[in-house]
Short mmCIF file of all heavy atoms in Angstrom, two decimals:
data_model
loop_
_atom_site.label_atom_id
_atom_site.label_comp_id
_atom_site.label_asym_id
_atom_site.label_seq_id
_atom_site.Cartn_x
_atom_site.Cartn_y
_atom_site.Cartn_z
N LEU A 301 -4.60 -12.01 -2.34
CA LEU A 301 -4.00 -11.15 -3.37
C LEU A 301 -4.39 -9.70 -3.09
O LEU A 301 -5.57 -9.40 -2.91
CB LEU A 301 -4.50 -11.56 -4.76
CG LEU A 301 -3.97 -12.90 -5.29
CD1 LEU A 301 -4.63 -13.25 -6.61
CD2 LEU A 301 -2.44 -12.86 -5.46
N GLN A 302 -3.39 -8.83 -3.01
CA GLN A 302 -3.68 -7.40 -2.74
C GLN A 302 -3.00 -6.54 -3.79
O GLN A 302 -1.89 -6.85 -4.22
CB GLN A 302 -3.10 -6.99 -1.38
CG GLN A 302 -3.89 -7.46 -0.18
CD GLN A 302 -3.34 -6.85 1.12
OE1 GLN A 302 -2.49 -5.97 1.11
NE2 GLN A 302 -3.84 -7.35 2.23
N PRO A 303 -3.62 -5.41 -4.18
CA PRO A 303 -2.94 -4.48 -5.09
C PRO A 303 -1.70 -3.89 -4.41
O PRO A 303 -1.68 -3.74 -3.18
CB PRO A 303 -3.97 -3.38 -5.34
CG PRO A 303 -5.26 -3.88 -4.76
CD PRO A 303 -4.95 -4.96 -3.79
N LEU A 304 -0.72 -3.55 -5.22
CA LEU A 304 0.53 -3.00 -4.68
C LEU A 304 0.29 -1.80 -3.76
O LEU A 304 0.87 -1.69 -2.68
CB LEU A 304 1.42 -2.51 -5.83
CG LEU A 304 2.14 -3.54 -6.66
CD1 LEU A 304 2.75 -2.89 -7.89
CD2 LEU A 304 3.23 -4.18 -5.83
N GLY A 305 -0.56 -0.87 -4.23
CA GLY A 305 -0.78 0.37 -3.48
C GLY A 305 -1.33 0.09 -2.09
O GLY A 305 -0.91 0.72 -1.12
N ARG A 306 -2.25 -0.85 -1.98
CA ARG A 306 -2.85 -1.15 -0.67
C ARG A 306 -1.82 -1.77 0.27
O ARG A 306 -1.77 -1.49 1.46
CB ARG A 306 -4.03 -2.10 -0.87
CG ARG A 306 -4.71 -2.45 0.43
CD ARG A 306 -6.01 -3.19 0.17
NE ARG A 306 -6.24 -4.15 1.23
CZ ARG A 306 -6.90 -5.27 1.09
NH1 ARG A 306 -7.41 -5.60 -0.08
NH2 ARG A 306 -7.05 -6.09 2.10
N PHE A 307 -0.95 -2.60 -0.31
CA PHE A 307 0.05 -3.27 0.53
C PHE A 307 1.15 -2.32 0.98
O PHE A 307 1.53 -2.29 2.14
CB PHE A 307 0.66 -4.45 -0.25
CG PHE A 307 1.68 -5.22 0.56
CD1 PHE A 307 1.27 -6.11 1.54
CD2 PHE A 307 3.04 -5.04 0.35
CE1 PHE A 307 2.19 -6.81 2.30
CE2 PHE A 307 3.97 -5.73 1.11
CZ PHE A 307 3.54 -6.62 2.08
N PHE A 308 1.64 -1.50 0.04
CA PHE A 308 2.82 -0.68 0.37
C PHE A 308 2.46 0.71 0.90
O PHE A 308 3.17 1.25 1.74
CB PHE A 308 3.70 -0.47 -0.88
CG PHE A 308 4.47 -1.69 -1.28
CD1 PHE A 308 4.14 -2.39 -2.42
CD2 PHE A 308 5.53 -2.12 -0.51
CE1 PHE A 308 4.87 -3.52 -2.79
CE2 PHE A 308 6.26 -3.24 -0.87
CZ PHE A 308 5.93 -3.94 -2.01
N HIS A 309 1.40 1.30 0.38
CA HIS A 309 1.18 2.74 0.66
C HIS A 309 -0.27 3.02 1.03
O HIS A 309 -0.93 3.83 0.37
CB HIS A 309 1.55 3.58 -0.58
CG HIS A 309 2.84 3.18 -1.22
ND1 HIS A 309 2.93 2.68 -2.49
CD2 HIS A 309 4.10 3.22 -0.73
CE1 HIS A 309 4.21 2.41 -2.76
NE2 HIS A 309 4.93 2.72 -1.72
N PRO A 310 -0.78 2.39 2.07
CA PRO A 310 -2.20 2.61 2.39
C PRO A 310 -2.53 4.09 2.65
O PRO A 310 -3.59 4.56 2.29
CB PRO A 310 -2.45 1.76 3.64
CG PRO A 310 -1.10 1.39 4.16
CD PRO A 310 -0.15 1.44 3.00
N LEU A 311 -1.57 4.84 3.24
CA LEU A 311 -1.87 6.25 3.54
C LEU A 311 -2.00 7.10 2.28
O LEU A 311 -2.67 8.12 2.28
CB LEU A 311 -0.77 6.85 4.43
CG LEU A 311 -0.93 6.65 5.94
CD1 LEU A 311 0.23 7.32 6.66
CD2 LEU A 311 -2.25 7.20 6.44
N ASP A 312 -1.33 6.67 1.19
CA ASP A 312 -1.43 7.43 -0.06
C ASP A 312 -2.86 7.39 -0.61
O ASP A 312 -3.21 8.17 -1.48
CB ASP A 312 -0.46 6.89 -1.13
CG ASP A 312 0.98 7.27 -0.81
OD1 ASP A 312 1.19 8.05 0.14
OD2 ASP A 312 1.89 6.77 -1.50
N GLY A 313 -3.67 6.46 -0.10
CA GLY A 313 -5.06 6.36 -0.54
C GLY A 313 -5.94 7.44 0.08
O GLY A 313 -7.10 7.59 -0.29
N VAL A 314 -5.40 8.19 1.05
CA VAL A 314 -6.18 9.25 1.72
C VAL A 314 -5.43 10.57 1.54
O VAL A 314 -4.40 10.79 2.18
CB VAL A 314 -6.33 8.95 3.23
CG1 VAL A 314 -7.27 9.97 3.88
CG2 VAL A 314 -6.82 7.53 3.47
N ALA A 315 -5.94 11.44 0.65
CA ALA A 315 -5.25 12.71 0.41
C ALA A 315 -5.28 13.56 1.68
O ALA A 315 -6.27 13.58 2.41
CB ALA A 315 -5.93 13.43 -0.75
N ASP A 316 -4.16 14.25 1.96
CA ASP A 316 -4.07 15.18 3.10
C ASP A 316 -4.36 14.52 4.45
O ASP A 316 -4.93 15.15 5.34
CB ASP A 316 -5.05 16.37 2.95
CG ASP A 316 -4.77 17.17 1.70
OD1 ASP A 316 -3.61 17.15 1.25
OD2 ASP A 316 -5.71 17.80 1.19
N TRP A 317 -3.97 13.25 4.60
CA TRP A 317 -4.30 12.55 5.85
C TRP A 317 -3.72 13.27 7.07
O TRP A 317 -4.26 13.18 8.17
CB TRP A 317 -3.79 11.10 5.81
CG TRP A 317 -2.31 11.01 5.58
CD1 TRP A 317 -1.68 10.89 4.39
CD2 TRP A 317 -1.28 11.11 6.57
NE1 TRP A 317 -0.33 10.89 4.57
CE2 TRP A 317 -0.04 11.02 5.89
CE3 TRP A 317 -1.27 11.24 7.96
CZ2 TRP A 317 1.17 11.07 6.55
CZ3 TRP A 317 -0.05 11.30 8.63
CH2 TRP A 317 1.15 11.21 7.92
N ASN A 318 -2.62 14.02 6.89
CA ASN A 318 -2.00 14.66 8.06
C ASN A 318 -2.90 15.71 8.69
O ASN A 318 -2.77 16.02 9.86
CB ASN A 318 -0.63 15.25 7.69
CG ASN A 318 -0.65 16.14 6.48
OD1 ASN A 318 -1.33 15.83 5.51
ND2 ASN A 318 0.04 17.24 6.52
N ARG A 319 -3.90 16.21 7.91
CA ARG A 319 -4.83 17.20 8.49
C ARG A 319 -5.71 16.59 9.56
O ARG A 319 -6.31 17.30 10.37
CB ARG A 319 -5.69 17.80 7.38
CG ARG A 319 -4.90 18.77 6.49
CD ARG A 319 -5.80 19.47 5.48
NE ARG A 319 -7.01 19.96 6.06
CZ ARG A 319 -8.25 19.58 5.69
NH1 ARG A 319 -8.41 18.73 4.69
NH2 ARG A 319 -9.32 20.07 6.27
N LEU A 320 -5.80 15.24 9.57
CA LEU A 320 -6.61 14.58 10.60
C LEU A 320 -6.14 14.89 12.02
O LEU A 320 -6.87 14.71 12.98
CB LEU A 320 -6.57 13.06 10.40
CG LEU A 320 -7.49 12.48 9.32
CD1 LEU A 320 -7.21 11.00 9.14
CD2 LEU A 320 -8.94 12.70 9.72
N TYR A 321 -4.87 15.32 12.13
CA TYR A 321 -4.35 15.60 13.47
C TYR A 321 -4.74 16.98 13.97
O TYR A 321 -4.41 17.35 15.10
CB TYR A 321 -2.83 15.43 13.49
CG TYR A 321 -2.42 13.98 13.42
CD1 TYR A 321 -2.24 13.35 12.20
CD2 TYR A 321 -2.29 13.23 14.59
CE1 TYR A 321 -1.90 12.02 12.14
CE2 TYR A 321 -1.94 11.90 14.52
CZ TYR A 321 -1.75 11.30 13.29
OH TYR A 321 -1.42 9.97 13.24
N GLY A 322 -5.42 17.75 13.12
CA GLY A 322 -5.89 19.06 13.58
C GLY A 322 -4.76 20.07 13.63
O GLY A 322 -3.61 19.77 13.29
N PRO A 323 -5.06 21.30 14.09
CA PRO A 323 -4.07 22.39 14.02
C PRO A 323 -2.84 22.16 14.90
O PRO A 323 -1.77 22.70 14.62
CB PRO A 323 -4.86 23.62 14.48
CG PRO A 323 -6.10 23.10 15.12
CD PRO A 323 -6.37 21.75 14.57
N ARG A 324 -2.97 21.38 15.98
CA ARG A 324 -1.78 21.17 16.83
C ARG A 324 -0.78 20.21 16.19
O ARG A 324 0.39 20.21 16.50
CB ARG A 324 -2.20 20.62 18.20
CG ARG A 324 -2.74 21.71 19.12
CD ARG A 324 -2.67 21.25 20.55
NE ARG A 324 -3.40 20.00 20.75
CZ ARG A 324 -4.34 19.82 21.68
NH1 ARG A 324 -4.65 20.80 22.49
NH2 ARG A 324 -4.94 18.66 21.81
N GLY A 325 -1.29 19.37 15.32
CA GLY A 325 -0.40 18.47 14.59
C GLY A 325 0.04 17.26 15.39
O GLY A 325 -0.56 16.90 16.40
N PHE A 326 1.09 16.64 14.90
CA PHE A 326 1.56 15.40 15.52
C PHE A 326 3.07 15.34 15.39
O PHE A 326 3.68 16.14 14.68
CB PHE A 326 0.92 14.19 14.85
CG PHE A 326 1.36 13.99 13.42
CD1 PHE A 326 2.27 12.99 13.09
CD2 PHE A 326 0.86 14.79 12.40
CE1 PHE A 326 2.69 12.80 11.77
CE2 PHE A 326 1.27 14.61 11.09
CZ PHE A 326 2.18 13.62 10.77
N VAL A 327 3.64 14.39 16.09
CA VAL A 327 5.08 14.19 15.96
C VAL A 327 5.30 12.72 15.59
O VAL A 327 4.61 11.83 16.10
CB VAL A 327 5.83 14.59 17.26
CG1 VAL A 327 5.39 13.75 18.44
CG2 VAL A 327 7.31 14.49 17.11
N GLN A 328 6.19 12.51 14.64
CA GLN A 328 6.59 11.14 14.30
C GLN A 328 7.83 10.82 15.11
O GLN A 328 8.71 11.68 15.26
CB GLN A 328 6.96 11.04 12.83
CG GLN A 328 5.99 10.29 11.97
CD GLN A 328 6.21 8.80 11.90
OE1 GLN A 328 7.32 8.30 12.14
NE2 GLN A 328 5.18 8.06 11.56
N TYR A 329 7.89 9.63 15.61
CA TYR A 329 9.08 9.23 16.37
C TYR A 329 9.44 7.83 15.92
O TYR A 329 8.63 6.91 16.03
CB TYR A 329 8.75 9.24 17.87
CG TYR A 329 9.97 8.97 18.73
CD1 TYR A 329 10.87 9.98 19.00
CD2 TYR A 329 10.22 7.70 19.26
CE1 TYR A 329 11.99 9.75 19.77
CE2 TYR A 329 11.34 7.46 20.03
CZ TYR A 329 12.22 8.49 20.29
OH TYR A 329 13.33 8.27 21.05
N GLN A 330 10.63 7.67 15.37
CA GLN A 330 11.06 6.33 14.93
C GLN A 330 12.45 6.07 15.46
O GLN A 330 13.36 6.89 15.31
CB GLN A 330 11.05 6.20 13.40
CG GLN A 330 11.45 4.79 12.95
CD GLN A 330 11.21 4.51 11.48
OE1 GLN A 330 10.72 5.38 10.75
NE2 GLN A 330 11.54 3.32 11.04
N PHE A 331 12.61 4.93 16.10
CA PHE A 331 13.93 4.57 16.59
C PHE A 331 14.31 3.17 16.10
O PHE A 331 13.44 2.38 15.70
CB PHE A 331 14.02 4.67 18.12
CG PHE A 331 13.21 3.62 18.86
CD1 PHE A 331 13.70 2.34 19.08
CD2 PHE A 331 11.96 3.93 19.36
CE1 PHE A 331 12.97 1.39 19.77
CE2 PHE A 331 11.22 2.98 20.06
CZ PHE A 331 11.73 1.70 20.26
N ALA A 332 15.61 2.89 16.13
CA ALA A 332 16.12 1.55 15.81
C ALA A 332 17.04 1.11 16.94
O ALA A 332 17.78 1.94 17.48
CB ALA A 332 16.89 1.57 14.49
N VAL A 333 16.97 -0.15 17.29
CA VAL A 333 17.90 -0.73 18.28
C VAL A 333 18.37 -2.09 17.77
O VAL A 333 17.69 -2.71 16.95
CB VAL A 333 17.24 -0.92 19.68
CG1 VAL A 333 17.08 0.41 20.40
CG2 VAL A 333 15.92 -1.67 19.59
N GLY A 334 19.49 -2.53 18.30
CA GLY A 334 20.06 -3.81 17.85
C GLY A 334 19.23 -5.01 18.30
O GLY A 334 18.33 -4.88 19.13
N PRO A 335 19.54 -6.20 17.75
CA PRO A 335 18.73 -7.38 18.04
C PRO A 335 18.72 -7.77 19.51
O PRO A 335 17.77 -8.41 19.98
CB PRO A 335 19.39 -8.49 17.19
CG PRO A 335 20.74 -7.96 16.81
CD PRO A 335 20.67 -6.46 16.86
N ASP A 336 19.76 -7.37 20.25
CA ASP A 336 19.80 -7.73 21.68
C ASP A 336 19.04 -6.74 22.55
O ASP A 336 19.06 -6.83 23.78
CB ASP A 336 21.26 -7.79 22.17
CG ASP A 336 22.04 -8.85 21.41
OD1 ASP A 336 21.40 -9.79 20.90
OD2 ASP A 336 23.28 -8.71 21.30
N HIS A 337 18.41 -5.76 21.92
CA HIS A 337 17.72 -4.73 22.71
C HIS A 337 16.23 -4.66 22.39
O HIS A 337 15.63 -3.59 22.40
CB HIS A 337 18.39 -3.37 22.50
CG HIS A 337 19.76 -3.33 23.13
ND1 HIS A 337 19.94 -3.18 24.48
CD2 HIS A 337 20.98 -3.47 22.58
CE1 HIS A 337 21.24 -3.21 24.74
NE2 HIS A 337 21.89 -3.40 23.61
N ALA A 338 15.67 -5.85 22.13
CA ALA A 338 14.22 -5.89 21.88
C ALA A 338 13.46 -5.37 23.09
O ALA A 338 12.32 -4.90 22.96
CB ALA A 338 13.80 -7.32 21.57
N ASP A 339 14.09 -5.42 24.28
CA ASP A 339 13.42 -4.92 25.49
C ASP A 339 13.07 -3.43 25.36
O ASP A 339 12.10 -2.96 25.95
CB ASP A 339 14.30 -5.14 26.72
CG ASP A 339 15.65 -4.44 26.56
OD1 ASP A 339 16.36 -4.77 25.59
OD2 ASP A 339 15.97 -3.55 27.37
N VAL A 340 13.85 -2.68 24.56
CA VAL A 340 13.57 -1.24 24.40
C VAL A 340 12.22 -1.07 23.68
O VAL A 340 11.44 -0.17 24.01
CB VAL A 340 14.71 -0.52 23.63
CG1 VAL A 340 14.36 0.94 23.37
CG2 VAL A 340 16.00 -0.62 24.41
N VAL A 341 11.94 -1.96 22.73
CA VAL A 341 10.65 -1.89 22.03
C VAL A 341 9.54 -2.16 23.05
O VAL A 341 8.54 -1.42 23.12
CB VAL A 341 10.59 -2.93 20.88
CG1 VAL A 341 9.21 -2.94 20.24
CG2 VAL A 341 11.67 -2.64 19.83
N ARG A 342 9.72 -3.19 23.88
CA ARG A 342 8.69 -3.52 24.89
C ARG A 342 8.50 -2.37 25.86
O ARG A 342 7.38 -2.00 26.19
CB ARG A 342 9.11 -4.77 25.67
CG ARG A 342 9.09 -5.99 24.82
CD ARG A 342 9.28 -7.26 25.65
NE ARG A 342 9.55 -8.34 24.73
CZ ARG A 342 10.78 -8.78 24.40
NH1 ARG A 342 11.84 -8.25 24.96
NH2 ARG A 342 10.92 -9.74 23.52
N ARG A 343 9.62 -1.78 26.31
CA ARG A 343 9.51 -0.68 27.28
C ARG A 343 8.84 0.54 26.65
O ARG A 343 8.06 1.24 27.29
CB ARG A 343 10.90 -0.32 27.83
CG ARG A 343 11.36 -1.36 28.88
CD ARG A 343 12.85 -1.39 29.04
NE ARG A 343 13.40 -0.16 29.56
CZ ARG A 343 14.67 0.22 29.39
NH1 ARG A 343 15.52 -0.52 28.70
NH2 ARG A 343 15.11 1.34 29.90
N ALA A 344 9.14 0.79 25.38
CA ALA A 344 8.54 1.95 24.69
C ALA A 344 7.03 1.77 24.59
O ALA A 344 6.25 2.68 24.89
CB ALA A 344 9.16 2.13 23.30
N VAL A 345 6.60 0.57 24.18
CA VAL A 345 5.16 0.32 24.04
C VAL A 345 4.50 0.41 25.42
O VAL A 345 3.43 1.02 25.59
CB VAL A 345 4.91 -1.06 23.38
CG1 VAL A 345 3.44 -1.44 23.43
CG2 VAL A 345 5.41 -1.04 21.94
N GLY A 346 5.15 -0.15 26.44
CA GLY A 346 4.61 -0.10 27.81
C GLY A 346 4.49 1.34 28.30
O GLY A 346 3.47 1.72 28.89
N LEU A 347 5.51 2.14 28.02
CA LEU A 347 5.50 3.54 28.48
C LEU A 347 4.34 4.32 27.85
O LEU A 347 3.61 5.05 28.53
CB LEU A 347 6.85 4.17 28.12
CG LEU A 347 7.16 5.59 28.53
CD1 LEU A 347 8.64 5.71 28.87
CD2 LEU A 347 6.85 6.58 27.42
N LEU A 348 4.14 4.12 26.53
CA LEU A 348 3.05 4.85 25.86
C LEU A 348 1.69 4.40 26.40
O LEU A 348 0.80 5.23 26.64
CB LEU A 348 3.08 4.59 24.35
CG LEU A 348 4.31 5.08 23.59
CD1 LEU A 348 4.24 4.69 22.14
CD2 LEU A 348 4.44 6.59 23.70
N SER A 349 1.57 3.09 26.63
CA SER A 349 0.30 2.57 27.13
C SER A 349 0.02 3.08 28.55
O SER A 349 -1.06 3.60 28.83
CB SER A 349 0.34 1.04 27.06
OG SER A 349 -0.57 0.48 27.93
N GLN A 350 1.04 3.02 29.44
CA GLN A 350 0.84 3.46 30.83
C GLN A 350 0.53 4.95 30.91
O GLN A 350 -0.30 5.38 31.70
CB GLN A 350 2.10 3.22 31.64
CG GLN A 350 2.25 1.80 32.15
CD GLN A 350 3.72 1.52 32.45
OE1 GLN A 350 4.51 2.43 32.66
NE2 GLN A 350 4.06 0.24 32.47
N ARG A 351 1.21 5.74 30.10
CA ARG A 351 1.00 7.21 30.20
C ARG A 351 -0.15 7.68 29.32
O ARG A 351 -0.36 8.87 29.16
CB ARG A 351 2.29 7.94 29.82
CG ARG A 351 3.39 7.52 30.74
CD ARG A 351 4.55 8.47 30.78
NE ARG A 351 5.57 7.86 31.62
CZ ARG A 351 6.84 8.15 31.58
NH1 ARG A 351 7.26 9.09 30.76
NH2 ARG A 351 7.71 7.53 32.36
N ARG A 352 -0.82 6.72 28.73
CA ARG A 352 -1.98 7.03 27.88
C ARG A 352 -1.62 8.06 26.79
O ARG A 352 -2.32 9.04 26.58
CB ARG A 352 -3.17 7.48 28.73
CG ARG A 352 -3.65 6.37 29.66
CD ARG A 352 -4.81 6.75 30.52
NE ARG A 352 -6.07 6.93 29.79
CZ ARG A 352 -6.84 5.95 29.34
NH1 ARG A 352 -6.47 4.69 29.48
NH2 ARG A 352 -7.97 6.21 28.74
N LEU A 353 -0.47 7.81 26.15
CA LEU A 353 -0.05 8.64 25.01
C LEU A 353 -0.46 7.87 23.76
O LEU A 353 0.15 6.85 23.42
CB LEU A 353 1.46 8.87 25.03
CG LEU A 353 1.95 9.70 26.22
CD1 LEU A 353 3.47 9.69 26.30
CD2 LEU A 353 1.45 11.14 26.10
N PRO A 354 -1.51 8.29 23.09
CA PRO A 354 -2.05 7.46 22.02
C PRO A 354 -1.23 7.59 20.73
O PRO A 354 -0.85 8.68 20.34
CB PRO A 354 -3.45 8.05 21.80
CG PRO A 354 -3.33 9.47 22.25
CD PRO A 354 -2.24 9.54 23.27
N SER A 355 -0.93 6.47 20.12
CA SER A 355 -0.30 6.49 18.81
C SER A 355 -1.28 5.90 17.81
O SER A 355 -1.77 4.79 17.98
CB SER A 355 1.00 5.67 18.81
OG SER A 355 1.52 5.65 17.50
N PHE A 356 -1.55 6.67 16.77
CA PHE A 356 -2.52 6.25 15.75
C PHE A 356 -1.93 5.12 14.92
O PHE A 356 -2.56 4.10 14.70
CB PHE A 356 -2.84 7.48 14.90
CG PHE A 356 -3.80 7.22 13.79
CD1 PHE A 356 -4.95 6.48 13.99
CD2 PHE A 356 -3.57 7.74 12.54
CE1 PHE A 356 -5.85 6.27 12.97
CE2 PHE A 356 -4.47 7.54 11.50
CZ PHE A 356 -5.60 6.79 11.72
N LEU A 357 -0.72 5.32 14.48
CA LEU A 357 -0.08 4.32 13.63
C LEU A 357 1.25 3.94 14.25
O LEU A 357 2.19 4.72 14.20
CB LEU A 357 0.17 4.90 12.24
CG LEU A 357 -1.05 5.13 11.38
CD1 LEU A 357 -0.68 5.93 10.15
CD2 LEU A 357 -1.69 3.82 10.98
N ALA A 358 1.32 2.78 14.84
CA ALA A 358 2.61 2.31 15.38
C ALA A 358 3.03 1.13 14.52
O ALA A 358 2.27 0.18 14.34
CB ALA A 358 2.46 1.90 16.83
N VAL A 359 4.22 1.22 13.99
CA VAL A 359 4.66 0.23 13.02
C VAL A 359 5.98 -0.38 13.46
O VAL A 359 6.93 0.34 13.77
CB VAL A 359 4.82 0.91 11.63
CG1 VAL A 359 5.49 -0.02 10.66
CG2 VAL A 359 3.45 1.31 11.08
#
Side-chain angles (χ1 to χ4, degrees):
L301 289 175
Q302 283 187 9
L304 285 169
R306 181 170 147 209
F307 182 77
F308 287 110
H309 315 116
L311 274 181
D312 287 352
V314 186
D316 299 334
W317 58 267
N318 51 320
R319 287 186 45 241
L320 280 174
Y321 287 89
R324 281 200 303 232
F326 67 104
V327 61
Q328 251 273 337
Y329 186 79
Q330 182 169 359
F331 69 82
V333 286
D336 299 336
H337 291 283
D339 59 301
V340 175
V341 175
R342 292 189 193 96
R343 283 157 65 202
V345 171
L347 183 145
L348 296 177
S349 158
Q350 278 158 21
R351 300 200 185 158
R352 296 180 70 77
L353 294 171
S355 176
F356 178 45
L357 289 170
V359 170

